[in-house]
């Protein structure tokens, strides 16, 4: 019985560790849109899924470099601990609604 409970807890923890595209949408609207000045759909559809995955590899270093150059006013935020915390969710959001995803984000 004890083993079953431990396995159930391990499974529950593994699911909670995954990023969430819905949270990513909220984070994009709250933190990034004021800097980027484009809605979430425009943002996500700027790149293909594979491109977003590349940008967010290695703690989002390529994303930070690209978007800091494109939006210098966002550089301080993109280099912050807050961005590191939300980056996995923003990545899931961008990948889910990427140009080649066939899905449209409902956020303006």
């Amino acid at each position: 019985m004890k083993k079953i409970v431990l396995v159930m807890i391990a499974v529950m923890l593994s699911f909670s560790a995954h990023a969430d595209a819905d949270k990513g949408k909220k984070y994009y609207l709250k933190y990034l849109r004021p800097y980027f000045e484009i809605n979430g759909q425009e943002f996500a559809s700027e790149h293909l899924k594979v491109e977003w995955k590349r940008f967010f590899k290695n703690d989002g270093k390529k994303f930070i470099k690209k978007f800091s150059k494109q939006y210098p006013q966002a550089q301080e935020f993109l280099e912050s601990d807050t961005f590191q915390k939300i980056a996995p969710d923003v990545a899931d959001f961008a990948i889910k609604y990427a140009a080649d995803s066939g899905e449209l984000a409902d956020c303006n």
Side-chain angles (χ1 to χ4, degrees):
M1 181 69 174
K2 188 175 178 180
K3 287 181 181 179
I4 293 172
V5 171
L6 290 174
V7 170
M8 289 176 65
I9 290 171
V11 170
M12 290 172 57
L13 289 174
S14 70
F15 282 115
S16 65
H18 292 284
D20 182 332
D22 289 335
K23 282 184 184 177
K25 179 173 78 176
K26 290 177 187 172
Y27 292 147
Y28 174 80
L29 293 173
K30 182 176 180 179
Y31 294 107
L32 298 176
R33 184 178 176 181
Y35 295 114
F36 298 171
E37 298 179 344
I38 56 174
N39 71 39
Q41 181 58 50
E42 291 174 283
F43 166 74
S45 65
E46 282 186 353
H47 296 283
L48 303 173
K49 289 179 181 182
V50 68
E51 294 171 326
W52 283 122
K53 288 176 185 175
R54 260 189 251 130
F55 284 132
F56 281 99
K57 269 183 158 178
N58 299 324
D59 296 327
K61 288 180 182 170
K62 287 184 179 178
F63 180 88
I64 293 167
K65 184 177 179 181
K66 175 184 175 26
F67 283 88
S68 290
K69 189 174 183 178
Q70 190 171 348
Y71 303 101
Q73 69 277 17
Q75 183 173 1
E76 185 176 337
F77 176 74
L78 294 174
E79 294 173 347
S80 71
D81 291 341
T82 301
F83 179 73
Q84 285 302 312
K85 290 178 186 170
I86 68 169
D89 295 317
V90 173
D92 269 13
F93 166 68
I95 292 165
K96 182 175 181 178
Y97 297 104
D100 59 338
S101 70
E103 294 198 48
L104 296 175
D106 182 24
C107 55
N108 292 314

